[in-house]
Amino acid sequence: MSTREERTFFDAFDAAVAGDVAALSPWLKQPAPGFSVYRNTIASGSVGALAATFTTVQLMTGEEWFRAAAREFSRAHPPVDPALLRYGETFPDWLANFPPAADTPYLAGIAHLDWLWWQSWSAADATALDGVALARLTAESLGSVKLDLHPAVRTASFETGIPSLWLAHQAPLSGEPHLLSDAPERILFTRPGLHVQSHLVDAATFAFLDALQRGSSILVAAEGALVADPTCSLPDILAGGIALGLFSSITPIPDPSR
Amino acid sequence: MTTAPGAGLGLKPQHYAEAISESAAGAWFEVHPENYMCDGGPRHAALAAVRERHPLSLHGVGLSLAGDEPPDEAQLARLRHLVDRYEPCLVSEHLAWSRRRGAYNPDLLPFPRTSAALARVAEHIDRTQEALGRRILIENPSLYVALDGHDLSETEFLIDLCRSTGCGLLLDVNNVYVSANNLGYVAETYIDAIPASLIGEIHLAGHAPDATLGHDLLIDTHGASVDEAVWDLYRHLITRIGARPTLIERDDNVPAYADLAAERHAASIILTGVREAVLVNA
């Protein structure tokens, strides 16, 4: 049997998985009801991986709704990587345009936060920087060094109170119904040890971390924080960051003029 | 206590603490490496703690060795990284495919066992063993459809792969039982056809009848305890080939650790019995 004919088999199998079961009939001795086992396993593997990552979305929508949505997503966007813990990065954006989710426009934001939590949880380990190293910096050096964030730090900013809504569902047994507020909110995930922590942060802290994430010097990041909130205190932001283990190292910037 | 791997358990995240403190002679653990292909965090910390005290086996599901594309080099590099970090006692993969044209199907899919396929799968195993710097074991799949177009039986295919690549076999006794039932052949004949020298590991797991077709279609669910018929086949196999590292797999309806430990112990008693019989006969 030639390779060309074999390729026909794989094409036929792919078509059958996609729904055209008749495509496989030239390769079957008799009708094969067992083929559905493969289709079901493939679907439940993808859906199960999404359910493991997007736990808050599933909590808010209920299992049945979530599994139906996840199944539709996985048909349109199957996994590309056998490491299924990496599957689902595009699920939040897909949910934003999923017609049955039109009544719950916050769901995509909730999914985004589930994804960031998961990224923080599985990020590389690193030792957090202590205050001693930071205290050694002189004021003149702030424009030529940057603070590298701990690999588990993730941040997100929203026009509404989606972060509070997400946080309220992390301890669902508290039972308090939570309404979505209209005020902008920002959230930070970090994992100084083995447990992911989530904290709401103010606009200045968010601007500071956001600039550091883009590789800016401490000075430039501080200027960003002051633009966000002219009354903010850089020493307070730095002390808060040290306490939460947000920084991993201090690195000189080769070209501070950036 | 350090002993040769005897009977082991598939490691579930909900059982990390019990696995770390497991003290049974010969106990070992197995994981899917794909579940540890992240940079760090609690999952790696737990696996490292288990590995500090027990032998560990990496049982891959994602290399797609029987596919019509070579194994993904990035995936091989990540696997090599885990092999270097955890120094597993065994590394295994499946005689199946899952990946094609950039899409991954989370399943172990069948293919026509042609002579062309034999050459292709052997190339993929060669590449894998080269990338990992070690020998791997290949597991027989559970089959649910009778494909037309096979040139070789599954046992012939597996034995030829071992001879041409130097790989060994992970004989999943439950898969043999399930496939034999679904495709209409005799499980015992299949098992007897595998030379003892090729078998490096054995898997035992539970199965379930299909919701619609009943016992005409058994499904390899890993969701129940090992069936008595599978234990019988296992005793039959072990009596012929001697003791081999044997794993109890459970991925669905995962019970309390103590229940899995009891099944592990049952396999351990069978293994010990075979070892003693060998000594008496020597």
Side-chain angles (χ1 to χ4, degrees):
Chain A
M1 185 170 290
S2 76
T3 312
R4 207 173 79 87
E5 283 174 308
E6 266 205 318
R7 191 172 308 122
T8 315
F9 166 80
F10 288 101
D11 287 340
F13 203 97
D14 279 344
V17 169
D20 178 14
V21 179
L24 199 60
S25 51
W27 299 90
L28 297 175
K29 283 186 173 161
Q30 60 228 9
F35 187 78
S36 61
V37 178
Y38 295 114
R39 290 188 71 193
N40 293 341
T41 305
I42 290 167
S44 70
S46 303
V47 169
L50 294 169
T53 303
F54 298 98
T55 52
T56 316
V57 176
Q58 180 166 315
L59 186 69
M60 294 177 76
T61 62
E63 189 179 342
E64 197 183 334
W65 192 98
F66 180 85
R67 294 189 79 85
R71 186 150 187 166
E72 200 153 320
F73 171 77
S74 67
R75 266 196 216 111
H77 307 279
V80 297
D81 187 336
L84 285 175
L85 45 73
R86 296 164 180 259
Y87 180 48
E89 186 168 11
T90 59
F91 184 61
D93 284 347
W94 179 86
L95 264 186
N97 299 305
F98 183 46
D103 293 342
T104 48
Y106 50 83
L107 220 45
I110 295 292
H112 182 57
L113 293 179
D114 276 344
W115 179 255
L116 293 183
W117 186 97
W118 190 250
Q119 296 309 296
S120 181
W121 178 83
S122 58
D125 306 304
T127 310
L129 196 70
D130 61 29
V132 178
L134 209 55
R136 281 198 217 106
L137 288 175
T138 59
E140 303 78 63
S141 68
L142 295 183
S144 57
V145 295
K146 62 191 177 81
L147 273 174
D148 300 305
L149 294 179
H150 188 285
V153 169
R154 297 291 183 282
T155 58
S157 163
F158 291 86
E159 296 299 319
T160 64
I162 285 175
S164 285
L165 185 62
W166 184 88
L167 285 167
H169 285 82
Q170 303 313 302
L173 294 179
S174 64
E176 293 281 311
H178 188 95
L179 296 175
L180 185 64
S181 91
D182 286 338
E185 281 185 350
R186 303 134 215 104
I187 190 167
L188 158 78
F189 297 96
T190 186
R191 201 198 73 224
L194 292 178
H195 300 285
V196 178
Q197 299 177 9
S198 21
H199 303 278
L200 294 179
V201 292
D202 56 46
T205 303
F206 181 83
F208 185 72
L209 296 175
D210 192 47
L212 292 181
Q213 255 165 347
R214 285 185 272 108
S216 301
S217 69
I218 297 177
L219 186 66
V220 170
E223 285 164 2
L226 281 166
V227 169
D229 177 5
T231 68
C232 77
S233 149
L234 181 62
D236 285 356
I237 292 175
L238 286 172
I242 292 287
L244 292 175
L246 301 189
F247 314 123
S248 63
S249 54
I250 299 169
T251 319
I253 297 175
D255 176 17
S257 61
R258 53 178 286 168
Chain B
M1 181 165 57
T2 306
T3 48
L9 282 176
L11 180 63
K12 308 309 294 176
Q14 57 268 51
H15 295 153
Y16 282 144
E18 289 110 321
I20 290 165
S21 58
E22 177 61 73
S23 60
W28 56 285
F29 293 92
E30 184 166 280
V31 297
H32 297 314
E34 291 79 8
N35 291 341
Y36 294 84
M37 288 182 177
C38 56
D39 294 333
R43 203 171 264 190
H44 275 293
L47 188 61
V50 171
R51 176 64 190 97
E52 232 172 70
R53 292 159 182 84
H54 304 290
L56 181 73
S57 159
L58 297 182
H59 180 51
V61 294
L63 279 181
S64 195
L65 293 175
D68 62 345
E69 297 173 4
D72 181 61
E73 287 296 324
Q75 175 73 357
L76 284 173
R78 293 191 300 192
L79 191 53
R80 173 65 191 251
H81 182 72
L82 290 171
V83 165
D84 290 344
R85 175 168 178 184
Y86 291 105
E87 300 179 340
C89 57
L90 298 164
V91 177
S92 52
E93 249 292 351
H94 295 82
L95 182 66
W97 66 280
S98 55
R99 193 174 207 199
R100 194 161 184 258
R101 295 180 175 171
Y104 169 67
N105 294 302
D107 198 3
L108 300 162
L109 303 173
F111 63 100
R113 291 181 304 267
T114 61
S115 329
L118 183 64
R120 187 183 69 238
V121 179
E123 263 177 49
H124 297 169
I125 293 174
D126 281 339
R127 176 63 201 127
T128 300
Q129 295 187 135
E130 181 189 35
L132 301 183
R134 61 181 291 159
R135 179 184 191 234
I136 63 169
L137 305 177
I138 301 296
E139 179 181 338
N140 56 298
S142 289
L143 299 174
Y144 302 106
V145 296
L147 293 179
D148 203 4
H150 294 304
D151 296 339
L152 294 95
S153 73
E154 191 169 279
T155 50
E156 288 168 339
F157 198 92
L158 288 167
I159 292 165
D160 274 3
L161 279 180
C162 291
R163 298 224 162 110
S164 62
T165 70
C167 74
L169 297 182
L170 190 181
L171 188 56
D172 188 316
V173 178
N174 182 59
N175 287 359
V176 173
Y177 183 82
V178 164
S179 299
N181 176 84
N182 294 346
L183 272 57
Y185 52 80
V186 180
E188 213 163 289
T189 309
Y190 180 110
I191 281 180
D192 289 346
I194 309 269
S197 61
L198 300 182
I199 302 173
E201 183 185 344
I202 297 168
H203 272 183
L204 300 173
H207 56 256
D210 179 71
T212 313
L213 297 169
H215 284 268
D216 288 348
L217 183 67
L218 293 181
I219 301 175
D220 175 32
T221 53
H222 295 187
S225 52
V226 178
D227 192 272
E228 203 43 56
V230 172
W231 281 118
D232 286 345
L233 278 172
Y234 175 62
R235 283 188 207 95
H236 173 79
L237 169 66
I238 284 290
T239 304
R240 175 171 68 90
I241 70 167
R244 290 292 189 284
T246 300
L247 188 89
I248 306 289
E249 287 184 296
R250 188 69 173 263
D251 296 308
D252 205 2
N253 295 325
V254 178
Y257 182 81
D259 294 356
L260 294 179
E263 275 197 294
R264 194 210 69 84
H265 185 63
S268 182
I269 286 174
I270 296 171
L271 286 172
T272 309
V274 169
R275 281 206 189 90
E276 282 166 0
V278 169
L279 289 175
V280 169
N281 293 335

